[in-house]
Amino acid sequence: MQDSPPAEHAATHGTQARRIRKVAVCGAGVMGAQIAAHCVNAGVPVILFDLAAKEGDRNAIVKQALARLNKLTPAPLGAPELAERITPANYDDDLARLGECDLVIEAIAERLDWKSDLYQKIAPAVRADAILASNTSGLSIGALARALPQAMRARFCGVHFFNPPRYMKLVELIPTADTAPALLDELETFLVSALGKGVVRARDTPNFIGNRIGVFGMLSVFAQAEKFGLTYELADQLTGARLGRAKSGTFRTGDVVGLDTLAHVVQTMWDQLPDDPFHAAYALPPVVRALVAKGALGQKSGAGFYRKDGKAILRLDPATGNYVPADAAIDEGVARLLANPDVPARLAALRASSHPQAQFVWAVLRDSFHYSAVHLADIADTARLVDEAMTWGFGHARGPFEVWQAGGWHQVAQWVADDIALGKALSPVPLPGWATDGPVWEAQGVQTAMGSWNPRDGKFEPRSNLPVYQRQVGVPLLVGELQTRDDTIVFEDDAVRCWTLPAPHPRDVLILSFKSKMHTLGRDVVRGVMRAVDVAERSYAALVIGQLSEPFSAGANLKEMLPVFAAGGAAAIEPVEREIQAMTLRLRYAQVPVVAALAGLALGGGCELAVHCARRVAHFETYIGLVEAGIGLVPGGGGLAYCARRAAELRAHAAPEVPLLAFIKRFALAVASAQVSRSALEARHIGYLRESDPIVMNRYELLYVAVREAQAMARAGWRAPLLSLFPVAGRDGIATLKAQLFNMKAGGYISEYDFAVGEKVAEALCGGDVDPGSMVSEDWMLAREREAFLTLLAQPKTQERITGTLKTGKPVRN
């Protein structure tokens, strides 16, 4: 396609005004403390309440909870120091401080009586216009509301964060009959945009949507594994990644969640759903009951369905109560069936197979289709909400209705009906009429271009039109939804796509996306970047480099580079290195602002590309680093030149007594250890992001913000930096860094070859054998970088590392 100029810029959508500026969390237990942590991750100040300590520091309970945050894995906080931004408080002394907060989240233990007692205590202190929400996994929100004064009930709802709150996308929002619709819209907007969550609105039924469908699915696995004689590890292999679900499978997921927690949720279903046609399936399995009784609660107690013995993983033998090696492997033929990308053929083959493992998988899928259809009208407005709850809350690649529709709605419905008639299902209840007749049958599914099926209203309902969703770009659509593209492609080839967003988004900002696997930087991608800059300078106001799916970029394409090296050695790689360096400099000195939109991994060359852009907009979960030392190399695309120049810039704004080497050391340690940031905030601390680089919490707002950031920079008169010299640490800096490396080697922290690689990092980063404080150019630094890169590439141990990493996907230590 020909390069085309931008259309006239149109007005852009905003989002709802947000009045939630400060949050109180009541309850400093595991969930309450982590909800507070994620709020401060997002820059929202939090007051965390709990009981007053009986002696000593009155806020000791909360302070102990905050101290535990930095010991948890995965880390609830984006940076350890964020714990200091959570204000500890107690109900006896600080209740009046609730009046400072726009949102109060109660997150104490799952006891209706305890929560009700707390509401009576805090209600007088909650501001008259504030939102009060209960974080509960399944208690009745209506019953909780009855403990509140009538005047507060319009401002009360349920909000169920999934654990761990930082990483799990799903939040369920549960209104009561009295909850004000505007409050729900406001809270949903806050959860989606400020905290980066995926919100589903659930009906006030036991365990809502996610746990209702997800825990039934686990009970189905328990029942069918026993029926078909499968061990726990076999069932987990069959219901894990091969089935498009969380890699932990089912029994191991139970261990991770906690078998006591699982038992509580199952008991809630048993107690509160006596008339459910699947009630018999809600009986807590005897093995779970026995494990909980003896304190074997899973991962938190050291044993459950599985137990770790040194490096060995053992699984429970329910017949003897002993732990035995978890070494059973699934049948190769069944594995091939599960690997078939043709969903209708895969389901047909599983159902037709006589192998018990295949029969087990079909039974588990059939149960999920059957149960979800029977209960859809009870628990959710639309089928979309069930599918989203399972993908966002339980790690499924596709929800139950998506899998059913992808497999062929008519055929799967007939198979399910046949199994029900034959008594193979977990309940004799038939599929609901809407699933086998009428609009869904005619449309061959619940997700269509018109929207998602709402069984109560008997119509297909479109997605939410809340303004916050107009900020989202690249949201994956469900199976059956209309897949349209109304953006404008400016040019496209096998390596890259250059495009613009449709109106009302800015049309004068060009976007470049990569098409390579893991968005690696091969020569064609590098040339695509250069072309995009040329087009942007000629016809557009700005350029954004970003992907519709993660990662941003896993770095240079090593598989492409190795044949070139094999054919011509290091000399053949030098032109490739020069081309990558030319690309990063082209970005830095482009005559339009270039913004990198970062999400997921930005490693090696991906990091080098990003740091040379005029600005970066990063999703909070961005993991960025110069990782070349892990494969025996140094950064070769301008990464070390950037670090040296950035260290000089930081030194120029520091106190006179702070030496340049203090800033060099930070980068040297990060590069030599191949450090990858654990959040965008940590990337700021390392120096790969700047304070001026925005961080967004919702992955799908990334391009929206990046495009507007780029446009604002252009309209504000942005100009490319001028070529300039900067000071380097020189030979003294090299000597100091080598001494530190020697100590690390002597202490056994790094290997002999790690030391050799670290030496090259030090030499290139400090500008080579020059006097301390020498003023050098970028060309000088880039030459040092190339020299170090090519020298190491010629070393057999580096080649071993590269080859080993490509084969195994893991770093090789030699």
Side-chain angles (χ1 to χ4, degrees), residues 40 81 113 147-148 184 199 266 278 303 311 353 380 396 412 456 491 527 603 624 662 683 740 744 749:
V40 295
E81 62 272 14
D113 54 343
L148 292 169
L184 291 173
V199 171
V266 173
F278 288 86
K311 293 185 177 181
S353 174
H396 292 197
V412 172
R456 288 200 177 186
F491 70 82
R527 290 164 184 170
L603 304 179
I624 183 169
Q740 291 184 335
M744 293 174 69
Y749 296 105

Side-chain angles (χ1 to χ4, degrees), residues 71-147:
K71 298 177 183 177
L72 293 177
T73 302
L77 292 164
E81 62 272 14
L82 288 179
E84 300 171 5
R85 300 185 188 179
I86 300 173
T87 302
N90 69 80
Y91 304 122
D92 291 349
D93 304 326
D94 306 307
L95 211 55
R97 298 205 64 183
L98 287 172
E100 302 172 19
C101 301
D102 309 300
L103 169 63
V104 178
I105 301 174
E106 168 271 305
I108 67 172
E110 293 281 282
R111 286 273 301 267
L112 185 64
D113 54 343
W114 290 0
K115 288 176 183 281
S116 298
D117 289 345
L118 179 64
Y119 294 170
Q120 293 175 29
K121 186 181 186 71
I122 68 174
V126 175
R127 206 173 63 228
D129 63 340
I131 299 170
L132 174 62
S134 174
N135 181 70
T136 172
S137 60
L139 293 179
S140 168
I141 306 303
L144 289 170
R146 287 194 285 273

Side-chain angles (χ1 to χ4, degrees), residues 772-792:
S774 294
M775 303 296 288
V776 302
S777 66
E778 280 179 319
D779 284 344
W780 171 269
M781 294 300 296
L782 291 172
R784 308 285 78 70
E785 218 177 272
R786 285 196 306 274
E787 180 184 8
F789 182 94
L790 296 171
T791 299
L792 287 170

